[in-house]
Amino acid sequence: MYIIINLKFDLLFFAFLAVTSSIALASDPSSLQDFCVADATSSVLVNGRVCKDPKLVEANDFFFSGLHLAGNTSNAVGSRVTPVSVAQIGGLNTLGISVARIDFAPWGLNPLHTHPRATEILTVLEGSLKVGFVTSNPENRLISKVLQKGDVFVFPVGLVHFQQNVGHGNAVAIVALSSQNPGVIAIANAVFGSNPDIPADILAKAFQVDTNAIYGLQSKF
Amino acid sequence: MYIIINLKFDLLFFAFLAVTSSIALASDPSSLQDFCVADATSSVLVNGRVCKDPKLVEANDFFFSGLHLAGNTSNAVGSRVTPVSVAQIGGLNTLGISVARIDFAPWGLNPLHTHPRATEILTVLEGSLKVGFVTSNPENRLISKVLQKGDVFVFPVGLVHFQQNVGHGNAVAIVALSSQNPGVIAIANAVFGSNPDIPADILAKAFQVDTNAIYGLQSKF
Amino acid sequence: MYIIINLKFDLLFFAFLAVTSSIALASDPSSLQDFCVADATSSVLVNGRVCKDPKLVEANDFFFSGLHLAGNTSNAVGSRVTPVSVAQIGGLNTLGISVARIDFAPWGLNPLHTHPRATEILTVLEGSLKVGFVTSNPENRLISKVLQKGDVFVFPVGLVHFQQNVGHGNAVAIVALSSQNPGVIAIANAVFGSNPDIPADILAKAFQVDTNAIYGLQSKF
Amino acid sequence: MYIIINLKFDLLFFAFLAVTSSIALASDPSSLQDFCVADATSSVLVNGRVCKDPKLVEANDFFFSGLHLAGNTSNAVGSRVTPVSVAQIGGLNTLGISVARIDFAPWGLNPLHTHPRATEILTVLEGSLKVGFVTSNPENRLISKVLQKGDVFVFPVGLVHFQQNVGHGNAVAIVALSSQNPGVIAIANAVFGSNPDIPADILAKAFQVDTNAIYGLQSKF
Amino acid sequence: MYIIINLKFDLLFFAFLAVTSSIALASDPSSLQDFCVADATSSVLVNGRVCKDPKLVEANDFFFSGLHLAGNTSNAVGSRVTPVSVAQIGGLNTLGISVARIDFAPWGLNPLHTHPRATEILTVLEGSLKVGFVTSNPENRLISKVLQKGDVFVFPVGLVHFQQNVGHGNAVAIVALSSQNPGVIAIANAVFGSNPDIPADILAKAFQVDTNAIYGLQSKF
Amino acid sequence: MYIIINLKFDLLFFAFLAVTSSIALASDPSSLQDFCVADATSSVLVNGRVCKDPKLVEANDFFFSGLHLAGNTSNAVGSRVTPVSVAQIGGLNTLGISVARIDFAPWGLNPLHTHPRATEILTVLEGSLKVGFVTSNPENRLISKVLQKGDVFVFPVGLVHFQQNVGHGNAVAIVALSSQNPGVIAIANAVFGSNPDIPADILAKAFQVDTNAIYGLQSKF
C-alpha cells in the first residue's frame, strides 16, 4: 500500500509515508475511557499517545476531510496512498482502527509490503486490482485474486502483500486497518534502501546474487 | 438468523439491523497463526469461531463481492446496511476488523445504536450526512457534525451514535469496525421491541411517561 | 445502575454520576508492575491514569470506606448508586475491576443502561429485584429473572440492562464490574437528555413517534 | 481466601476448593459475541470453555443462588470461601469477572495465598478484618490495614495476601476477582502439602531450617 | 533466523522450518487456567490449540531435549535454526513464549526475515555476530551492532532483521520469542520463492529491475 | 533499588532476588509503534515506561553485555540470577519478553518463587537441574523432572516453582520470561521476610506451628 521508488526524491510522498506509518492493530490495548484524543502538543511519549483534556475535545478531533480526492500517482510505481490514522485523526488514539485511500494509475502497483501491527481489509471503489498475500514459512503460499469494483479482500496481519491495477483505467480502493498505527514495511525499501545500507555481502548471500547486482539494486532505493 | 427477524415485522428495517450486527473489536484476541478461517460446518462453538483446515483455505475465504451495489432503502427509516464481517468473510476470524456499506434514501436515518464490541470509522462516498455520538454519563455530551463526500468520522467503541442523510439525493458511506463481530444494539428495538417486552411500568418510570405511551411505542417495534 | 431522572437537578447526584462513570473492563490492558496507583495530581493524561511514585504508596491507596451506608433514594427513580472505582480507589488503576453499592426504595428502579467497558455481576444483599438484559440485534431477546437475597446475576459487557425493586421494603445490591472505569450510558439520558439535544426529527423517526412526543420526552431530561 | 489446613480431610471443603479454583483475570481475552455460556457437556477443552448453543441459553445460565448463607467455618483456620465463578455460573465464560463470599469465625484466618490470574477487591459486610498483601522482591513490603463494616480493599493480581477476623464476633466479606477463573495458590499447601511432596532438602534450604522441621510441617498438610 | 536458500531441496530443513513457524506473540491471549497443553490428537482447530485433559498432563508435556546439539549448517546460507515452540512443547500453548537455537558456520547468515507475531531477544553463546533490524517506513533506518559472546540484543516485533557470523569459527545463539507460534517470513523466499510465483512484472516494478533479472532470482528459490 | 536490598541482610541472596524480579508477561499490552524505548530520565510514571524520543534511539538501547559471565553463588542458597529485563535493556519496553542467566553452585538452589506476570522457559547450558512447579488448589500437584544439558522446561505463569543443581559441578541455565517485567515473589522472603513482619499469630495459624517457630523463621529473613 506504499509507494517505494520515488521515496528518496518526492517530499510530498515522504509526507504521505510519514503519515502512512501512523495507522492500527487488532490487539491494540483497550480504551479505559470514552476516548483519549491524541494531544499533538505533549512532549511526553508513551505507547500510543497521551490524551488532550477531554473538556477541550470537539467534533473536529474525530474528523478528516478529503478522502474523495485522487492521490497523485505520477511516480515510479503508479500508485499513491492517502492515510487517515492517529496522525490525521487524534480521536483514533486507543481505538484500534484506521483507514486509507489508494489510487492506482493504469498498471500502477502498490509494491510488496507488510503491516507489522495490523490486518488490512480492502474494498475496490473503481477499476480492477490483482491482489495477493504470501503465507509464512515454510509454505510461502501465494493467495491471490483479481478483484472488481465492489469486491472486498482481507490481508492478515504481518503477511507480505501487494495490489496491482490490472485494468485499462485508473483504480481506487479504500482500506481499513486494525490499528491506530499499523506501520508499513515496504520490502524493497527496507531491504535495499535502508539508511545506512545493509552490507552488500549479506544481501548477496540472502538473495543468491553477486554483490554488483546488490549495488545495482541499492542504487535505486 | 437475520431472515428470522426479517419475518418478524419490518423486513427492511430489521435487515439493516441484522446487517449492522455483523461488524469488530479493537481488543479482539490476537491471532496465533497466519489465519484461522471460520469453519462454517463445525458444531463446536468457541469465543469467535473454530478454524477450517489451513490446507483447504483458498482465496475465496478472504473475499466478498457486491459492495458496489446499493442496498434497498425502502423501509421505515430509509437506510440499509450491507455488512462484511466474519459471517460474510470467514477469513476475518481472529483478525479484529470488518467493514459495511450503508445506503441512505433522502433524509434516511441509521437510527441511534451502539456497537458493544467495536469502534466505527465512517467515510462518506456520496451525499451529505449529519452524524453524532453521545458521551457516557454524566455529561451525555452530543458530539455532532455534518459530513460531505470524502469526509471521515470516528464513533468510539460502545457509545450511542446515529447517521442521517441531510442532502436531497441518496447518500452512501463505507464504515470499518474494530472487531470481526462488533454487534449492534439498536436503542429503539432493544428498549421497545425486545422479545418478550420489557414491563411497561419499568419503561414508563425510565422515560417519565405513562404506560399508555409505552404501549404505543412498543406497538411499533 | 444509574439514576436518570434527576440528573439535571441534583448536584450531589451529578457528583455520584461523575464518580460512577469511573469504573473497569475485562480487557483492560495488563499490569506491568505490582501496582500503578493513579496519581491524582498529575497533569499528564493517558489511557487510564499515570502512576504515583511507588515509594509513596500506602495502604490507603487501596482503601475506601462507607459502603455499609445506604444511598439516598429520594429521587425520581427511587434508586442510588455508590461507586467504588479508580476515582475512589487510585490503587485500582491498571487492575481491571471495580465495585458499587446500589440502594433501591420500594419499587425503585435502576433504569435501562449499558456499560461500554465492563461486564457486571450483581449480588442481592437485601430485598427482591427484577433484573434483565437485552441481547443485541436482531434477536433483542430479553433475559430476565426475579432475584432474592443471596442471589447473583451476570450482565454481559455492553448489553442494555435494568434492575427494579419488586419487594415491599428497601433493596440493596453490591455489584462488581470488569473494569477500573466501565462507564455508564443511561439510555433515556443519552437519547433524550443529551447536551445539546439530538434533533427531534432524528428521534421521531427512530422511535416512530411525532416530534411533539419527542419534545415532551426531552423536556423531562 | 482459601482454607488450607483441612484440605486433605474435608471432602466438602475439597469441593469448595475445586470450585474456588474456578474464578477470573483482568486480561481475560475479550468476548467476540454477546455471551459464550460454558457448555458443561462438551468434551472439547480450550483456553476457557467452549460455548453452548446460544438458542438454548436461558436466564439460569447467568444465575447463582445462596450467597446469603454463612459458610461452615468449623475447620482449622476458622474461615470458609463460597465461590461464584465460571464453574457455578457458566455465563461468566469470556467475561473476565467472578465473585465469592468469605465467612470468618472469631479470629478466623484466610491464610496467605495468591491468585495467579486475578486482582481481588474485598468489601466487609460484617465484623472487623485485618488484611494485607506483600509486594514482590526485593522490597517484600507488607501493605496492611484493619477494615470495618463497609470498608473496601484491593489486592493486586498475583501478590501474596491474607485476611484475618480481628473482632469478637463472626465476620463476612464479599470479594470480586478480575477473572472467570483466577485460581488460588494457598502458600502452605503449595509448599508443604504438594502431591508428591517437594523434597525436604529443597524446602530446608529455602526456609533455612533443618529437614526435621520440614518433615514436621509436611506432616500437617 | 531461518535458512532460505536450500528451502526447496532440504527435506530436513523443511521439517525445521515447519517447526520453526510454530513459535509466540507478546499479545497472545491470556491463560484462563494453570495450563492448556496442546492436544496433538484433536481434530478441532482453534486460535492456538485445544487442550488435552489436565488429568493426563505430565512433566514431559513441558519438556524438550537436545538444544545442546549443534544444528547442521551445511547449506547455502551456513546457518540452522532449531526451534522449541508449541509444536515441540505442547505445554507452551496459551503461554506466549518460545525459544530456539541458531548455529552459524563461519560467515554463516540467518537471512533477512520478520516474525509477524513476536519480538525476539537473542543471546550469543559462542562467536561473534553482526545483527541488525530495519525500522518501518519512511525512515527504514538500519539499527545494527556486532555482538560478542554473552551479548544480548532485541529485535522488535514485525521488523525485518538478520544475523551473520563475522568470526572465524562457528557461532551459536539462543533466542526467545514472545509467542507460542511467532511464525517467520523469510523475505527472499516470500518474495522470490512463493508457490505459485508472484508475477514477474510485479516484482520487476517493485525492485526496479527487468523481468529477466526477476526470473533469475526466482530460479534460485 | 536492588543495592538497597543488598545492604539489608543477605547481600548475595537478595541480589539474586533483585535480579530475578526484573523479567515479562504474555499479556503485556501490544506495541503501538516500532518501539517505545524506556526513558530512564522521565519523571512521568505509567503502566510500563514512557518512551525516549525515537530519533535519539540507538543500537545500544536494544543491547546488554555480560551474560557469559558466571554470577557469584557464594550465598546461602548457592545460586545467582543475572537478569536482562526492561531495567537492563530499555528497548524491551512494550515488547513483552525478557531473559536471565542463572548460576548454581553444586547443590545450589533457586528457591521456591512465583512470577506474577510471566511464564518462564528454561534451557540448561551446563550441569543437571531438578526442577518443578506446583499446580493451584486444590490439587497442588508437583510436576517435576531432572534436566540435563540441552534440556528445556516450561513454568506456567503465576505457579510456584524451583530449580536445584543436582550434579557435582556447577550448573548454568538461561531463562526467558513472557514479560518486560515479570516480577518475582520469593515465597520464604514474602512470607517470613516482609517489611514489616506479617504478625506471628497469622503465620502460626497458616503453617500450623507455634509462634516461637515463626519467630525463628522470621529471624532468618
Side-chain angles (χ1 to χ4, degrees):
Chain A
M1 198 168 60
Y2 304 92
I3 302 163
I4 291 162
I5 297 318
N6 64 339
L7 239 187
K8 296 288 168 66
F9 316 111
D10 178 345
L11 279 191
L12 285 180
F13 184 55
F14 261 97
F16 122 67
L17 279 176
V19 162
T20 303
S21 48
S22 296
I23 311 183
L25 170 69
S27 55
D28 280 4
S30 298
S31 184
L32 294 173
Q33 52 288 309
D34 286 356
F35 42 69
C36 167
V37 174
D39 178 357
T41 70
S42 174
S43 63
V44 179
L45 301 175
V46 295
N47 189 25
R49 307 286 181 95
V50 298
C51 327
K52 67 187 288 187
D53 180 345
K55 289 185 294 297
L56 304 180
V57 166
E58 57 185 10
N60 285 341
D61 289 315
F62 301 93
F63 173 72
F64 172 86
S65 183
L67 219 51
H68 59 306
L69 302 173
N72 178 355
T73 60
S74 305
N75 55 58
V77 290
S79 72
R80 172 79 55 179
V81 177
T82 304
V84 183
S85 71
V86 73
Q88 287 73 41
I89 299 184
L92 285 172
N93 189 41
T94 76
L95 297 181
I97 196 162
S98 56
V99 295
R101 172 190 172 121
I102 315 179
D103 289 280
F104 300 85
W107 303 99
L109 175 68
N110 184 4
L112 291 85
H113 63 279
T114 73
H115 302 295
R117 294 181 293 278
T119 287
E120 174 177 339
I121 181 167
L122 175 145
T123 304
V124 180
L125 298 185
E126 295 297 336
S128 299
L129 293 176
K130 182 178 183 59
V131 302
F133 65 84
V134 180
T135 67
S136 64
N137 291 19
E139 288 77 11
N140 294 123
R141 183 174 163 208
L142 173 63
I143 294 181
S144 179
K145 195 167 179 68
V146 174
L147 307 180
Q148 308 301 338
K149 181 175 183 174
D151 291 352
V152 179
F153 200 79
V154 177
F155 305 94
V157 56
L159 301 187
V160 174
H161 59 286
F162 64 86
Q163 298 114 15
Q164 178 186 38
N165 181 357
V166 291
H168 294 294
N170 292 329
V172 181
I174 189 161
V175 298
L177 296 111
S178 59
S179 173
Q180 73 185 48
N181 179 27
V184 60
I185 297 172
I187 300 300
N189 276 64
V191 172
F192 298 111
S194 70
N195 177 16
D197 282 336
I198 296 172
D201 66 313
I202 288 177
L203 295 174
K205 181 173 279 193
F207 290 92
Q208 298 286 289
V209 295
D210 60 33
T211 53
N212 289 333
I214 297 300
Y215 294 136
L217 283 158
Q218 290 179 326
S219 69
K220 295 173 175 144
F221 294 96
Chain B
M1 166 179 175
Y2 303 143
I3 294 167
I4 291 165
I5 276 299
N6 289 343
L7 301 179
K8 249 174 74 183
F9 353 63
D10 175 344
L11 197 150
L12 300 172
F13 182 58
F14 275 90
F16 124 70
L17 288 174
V19 160
T20 305
S21 67
S22 293
I23 312 181
L25 169 70
S27 55
D28 280 5
S30 297
S31 185
L32 294 174
Q33 52 288 309
D34 286 356
F35 42 69
C36 166
V37 174
D39 178 357
T41 70
S42 175
S43 63
V44 179
L45 302 175
V46 295
N47 189 24
R49 309 285 183 95
V50 298
C51 326
K52 68 187 287 188
D53 180 344
K55 288 186 294 298
L56 305 180
V57 167
E58 56 185 12
N60 285 341
D61 289 315
F62 301 94
F63 173 73
F64 172 87
S65 182
L67 219 51
H68 60 306
L69 302 174
N72 179 347
T73 59
S74 306
N75 56 57
V77 291
S79 72
R80 169 81 52 182
V81 177
T82 305
V84 184
S85 70
V86 72
Q88 287 74 36
I89 298 183
L92 286 172
N93 189 41
T94 76
L95 297 181
I97 196 163
S98 56
V99 296
R101 172 191 171 120
I102 314 180
D103 289 280
F104 300 84
W107 303 100
L109 175 68
N110 184 1
L112 291 87
H113 62 281
T114 73
H115 301 297
R117 296 180 292 277
T119 287
E120 175 177 338
I121 181 167
L122 175 146
T123 304
V124 180
L125 297 185
E126 295 296 336
S128 300
L129 293 176
K130 181 176 182 59
V131 302
F133 65 83
V134 180
T135 67
S136 65
N137 291 19
E139 288 77 11
N140 294 123
R141 184 174 162 209
L142 174 64
I143 294 181
S144 180
K145 194 168 179 67
V146 174
L147 307 179
Q148 308 301 338
K149 181 175 183 175
D151 291 353
V152 179
F153 200 79
V154 177
F155 305 94
V157 57
L159 301 188
V160 173
H161 59 286
F162 64 86
Q163 298 115 14
Q164 179 187 38
N165 181 357
V166 292
H168 295 293
N170 292 329
V172 181
I174 189 161
V175 298
L177 294 109
S178 58
S179 174
Q180 74 185 47
N181 178 29
V184 61
I185 298 171
I187 299 301
N189 278 66
V191 172
F192 298 110
S194 69
N195 177 17
D197 283 335
I198 295 172
D201 66 311
I202 288 177
L203 295 174
K205 182 173 277 192
F207 290 92
Q208 296 286 289
V209 294
D210 59 35
T211 53
N212 289 333
I214 297 299
Y215 294 134
L217 283 158
Q218 289 179 327
S219 68
K220 295 175 175 138
F221 294 96
Chain C
M1 197 171 58
Y2 304 92
I3 303 164
I4 292 162
I5 298 318
N6 63 339
L7 238 188
K8 295 287 168 65
F9 315 111
D10 177 346
L11 280 190
L12 284 180
F13 186 56
F14 261 97
F16 124 67
L17 278 176
V19 161
T20 302
S21 47
S22 295
I23 313 182
L25 168 70
S27 55
D28 280 5
S30 297
S31 185
L32 295 173
Q33 53 287 309
D34 285 358
F35 42 69
C36 167
V37 174
D39 177 357
T41 70
S42 174
S43 63
V44 179
L45 302 175
V46 295
N47 188 24
R49 308 286 181 95
V50 298
C51 326
K52 68 188 287 187
D53 180 345
K55 288 186 294 298
L56 305 180
V57 167
E58 57 186 11
N60 286 340
D61 290 314
F62 301 94
F63 173 72
F64 173 86
S65 183
L67 219 51
H68 59 306
L69 302 174
N72 177 355
T73 59
S74 305
N75 56 55
V77 290
S79 73
R80 173 78 56 180
V81 176
T82 305
V84 184
S85 70
V86 72
Q88 288 73 41
I89 299 184
L92 286 173
N93 189 42
T94 76
L95 297 181
I97 196 163
S98 56
V99 296
R101 171 189 172 123
I102 315 179
D103 288 280
F104 300 84
W107 303 100
L109 175 68
N110 184 3
L112 290 86
H113 63 280
T114 73
H115 302 296
R117 296 181 292 277
T119 288
E120 174 177 338
I121 181 168
L122 175 145
T123 304
V124 181
L125 298 185
E126 295 296 336
S128 299
L129 293 177
K130 181 177 183 59
V131 302
F133 64 84
V134 180
T135 68
S136 66
N137 292 45
E139 287 78 9
N140 294 122
R141 183 173 163 209
L142 173 64
I143 294 180
S144 180
K145 195 168 179 67
V146 174
L147 307 179
Q148 307 301 336
K149 181 175 183 175
D151 291 353
V152 179
F153 200 78
V154 177
F155 305 93
V157 57
L159 301 187
V160 174
H161 59 284
F162 65 86
Q163 299 114 12
Q164 179 187 38
N165 181 357
V166 293
H168 295 294
N170 293 330
V172 182
I174 189 162
V175 298
L177 295 110
S178 59
S179 174
Q180 74 185 45
N181 178 29
V184 60
I185 297 171
I187 299 300
N189 275 65
V191 172
F192 298 110
S194 69
N195 177 16
D197 282 335
I198 295 172
D201 66 312
I202 288 177
L203 295 173
K205 181 172 278 192
F207 291 91
Q208 306 279 296
V209 296
D210 59 35
T211 53
N212 288 334
I214 297 298
Y215 294 136
L217 283 157
Q218 289 179 326
S219 68
K220 296 174 174 141
F221 294 97
Chain D
M1 199 169 58
Y2 304 92
I3 303 163
I4 291 161
I5 298 317
N6 64 339
L7 239 187
K8 295 288 167 65
F9 315 110
D10 178 346
L11 279 191
L12 285 180
F13 185 56
F14 260 97
F16 125 68
L17 277 175
V19 162
T20 301
S21 45
S22 296
I23 311 182
L25 170 68
S27 54
D28 280 4
S30 298
S31 184
L32 294 174
Q33 52 288 310
D34 286 357
F35 43 68
C36 167
V37 174
D39 177 356
T41 70
S42 175
S43 63
V44 179
L45 301 175
V46 296
N47 188 25
R49 308 287 181 95
V50 298
C51 327
K52 66 188 288 186
D53 180 344
K55 288 186 294 297
L56 304 180
V57 166
E58 56 185 13
N60 285 341
D61 289 314
F62 301 94
F63 173 72
F64 173 86
S65 182
L67 219 51
H68 59 305
L69 302 173
N72 177 356
T73 59
S74 305
N75 55 56
V77 290
S79 73
R80 172 79 56 179
V81 177
T82 305
V84 184
S85 71
V86 73
Q88 288 72 41
I89 299 183
L92 286 172
N93 189 42
T94 76
L95 297 180
I97 196 163
S98 56
V99 295
R101 171 190 171 121
I102 315 179
D103 288 281
F104 299 85
W107 304 99
L109 174 69
N110 185 4
L112 290 86
H113 63 280
T114 73
H115 302 294
R117 295 181 292 277
T119 287
E120 175 177 337
I121 181 167
L122 175 145
T123 303
V124 180
L125 298 185
E126 295 297 336
S128 300
L129 293 176
K130 181 178 182 60
V131 302
F133 66 83
V134 180
T135 67
S136 65
N137 292 52
E139 288 78 9
N140 294 122
R141 182 175 164 208
L142 173 64
I143 294 181
S144 180
K145 194 168 179 69
V146 174
L147 306 179
Q148 308 301 337
K149 181 175 183 174
D151 291 353
V152 178
F153 200 79
V154 177
F155 305 94
V157 57
L159 301 187
V160 174
H161 59 284
F162 64 85
Q163 298 115 13
Q164 179 187 38
N165 180 358
V166 293
H168 295 294
N170 292 329
V172 182
I174 188 161
V175 298
L177 295 110
S178 58
S179 174
Q180 74 185 47
N181 179 27
V184 60
I185 297 172
I187 299 299
N189 275 65
V191 172
F192 298 111
S194 70
N195 176 18
D197 283 336
I198 295 172
D201 66 313
I202 288 177
L203 295 174
K205 181 173 279 190
F207 290 90
Q208 305 280 298
V209 295
D210 60 34
T211 53
N212 288 333
I214 296 300
Y215 293 135
L217 283 157
Q218 289 179 327
S219 69
K220 296 174 175 141
F221 294 97
Chain E
M1 196 171 62
Y2 305 92
I3 303 163
I4 291 161
I5 298 318
N6 63 338
L7 239 186
K8 295 289 168 62
F9 316 110
D10 178 346
L11 279 191
L12 284 180
F13 186 55
F14 261 96
F16 125 68
L17 278 176
V19 162
T20 302
S21 46
S22 295
I23 311 183
L25 169 69
S27 55
D28 280 4
S30 298
S31 185
L32 295 174
Q33 51 287 310
D34 286 357
F35 43 69
C36 166
V37 175
D39 177 356
T41 70
S42 175
S43 63
V44 179
L45 301 176
V46 295
N47 188 25
R49 308 287 180 94
V50 299
C51 327
K52 68 188 287 187
D53 179 346
K55 289 185 293 298
L56 304 180
V57 166
E58 57 186 12
N60 285 340
D61 289 315
F62 301 93
F63 173 72
F64 173 86
S65 183
L67 219 51
H68 60 305
L69 303 173
N72 178 355
T73 60
S74 306
N75 55 56
V77 291
S79 73
R80 173 78 56 180
V81 177
T82 305
V84 183
S85 70
V86 72
Q88 287 74 41
I89 299 183
L92 285 172
N93 189 42
T94 77
L95 297 180
I97 196 163
S98 55
V99 296
R101 172 190 171 121
I102 315 179
D103 288 280
F104 300 84
W107 304 99
L109 174 68
N110 185 3
L112 291 87
H113 64 279
T114 73
H115 303 295
R117 295 180 294 277
T119 288
E120 174 177 339
I121 181 167
L122 175 146
T123 304
V124 180
L125 297 186
E126 295 296 337
S128 301
L129 293 176
K130 181 176 183 59
V131 303
F133 65 84
V134 180
T135 67
S136 64
N137 290 16
E139 287 78 11
N140 292 124
R141 183 173 164 210
L142 173 65
I143 294 181
S144 180
K145 194 168 179 68
V146 174
L147 307 180
Q148 308 301 337
K149 182 175 183 175
D151 291 353
V152 179
F153 200 79
V154 177
F155 305 94
V157 56
L159 301 188
V160 173
H161 58 285
F162 64 86
Q163 299 116 13
Q164 179 186 38
N165 180 359
V166 292
H168 295 294
N170 292 330
V172 182
I174 188 161
V175 299
L177 296 110
S178 58
S179 173
Q180 73 185 47
N181 178 28
V184 59
I185 297 171
I187 299 300
N189 275 65
V191 172
F192 298 111
S194 70
N195 177 17
D197 282 336
I198 296 172
D201 66 312
I202 288 178
L203 295 174
K205 181 172 279 193
F207 290 91
Q208 297 285 289
V209 295
D210 60 34
T211 52
N212 288 334
I214 297 299
Y215 293 136
L217 283 157
Q218 289 179 326
S219 69
K220 295 172 175 144
F221 295 98
Chain F
M1 167 177 171
Y2 305 143
I3 293 168
I4 291 165
I5 276 300
N6 290 342
L7 301 177
K8 247 174 76 183
F9 352 65
D10 174 347
L11 197 149
L12 300 173
F13 182 58
F14 275 89
F16 124 69
L17 287 175
V19 161
T20 305
S21 67
S22 294
I23 312 180
L25 170 70
S27 54
D28 280 4
S30 298
S31 184
L32 294 174
Q33 52 287 310
D34 285 357
F35 42 68
C36 167
V37 175
D39 177 357
T41 70
S42 174
S43 63
V44 179
L45 302 175
V46 296
N47 188 25
R49 309 286 181 95
V50 299
C51 327
K52 67 188 288 187
D53 180 345
K55 289 186 293 297
L56 304 181
V57 166
E58 57 185 13
N60 285 340
D61 290 313
F62 302 93
F63 173 72
F64 173 86
S65 183
L67 218 51
H68 60 305
L69 303 173
N72 178 347
T73 59
S74 306
N75 55 59
V77 291
S79 73
R80 169 80 52 182
V81 176
T82 305
V84 183
S85 71
V86 72
Q88 287 73 37
I89 298 183
L92 285 172
N93 189 43
T94 77
L95 297 180
I97 196 163
S98 56
V99 295
R101 172 189 171 122
I102 314 179
D103 288 280
F104 299 85
W107 305 99
L109 175 70
N110 185 1
L112 290 86
H113 63 280
T114 74
H115 302 295
R117 295 181 293 277
T119 287
E120 175 177 338
I121 181 167
L122 175 146
T123 304
V124 180
L125 297 186
E126 296 296 336
S128 300
L129 293 175
K130 181 178 183 60
V131 302
F133 65 83
V134 180
T135 67
S136 65
N137 292 17
E139 287 78 12
N140 294 122
R141 182 173 164 211
L142 173 64
I143 294 181
S144 180
K145 193 168 180 67
V146 174
L147 306 180
Q148 308 301 337
K149 181 176 182 173
D151 291 353
V152 178
F153 199 80
V154 177
F155 305 94
V157 56
L159 301 188
V160 173
H161 59 284
F162 64 86
Q163 298 116 13
Q164 178 186 39
N165 180 359
V166 292
H168 295 294
N170 292 330
V172 182
I174 188 162
V175 298
L177 294 108
S178 58
S179 174
Q180 72 185 48
N181 179 28
V184 61
I185 297 171
I187 300 300
N189 279 67
V191 172
F192 298 111
S194 70
N195 178 19
D197 283 337
I198 295 172
D201 67 312
I202 288 178
L203 295 174
K205 180 173 279 192
F207 290 91
Q208 297 286 290
V209 296
D210 59 34
T211 52
N212 288 333
I214 297 300
Y215 294 135
L217 282 157
Q218 289 179 326
S219 68
K220 294 173 176 140
F221 293 97

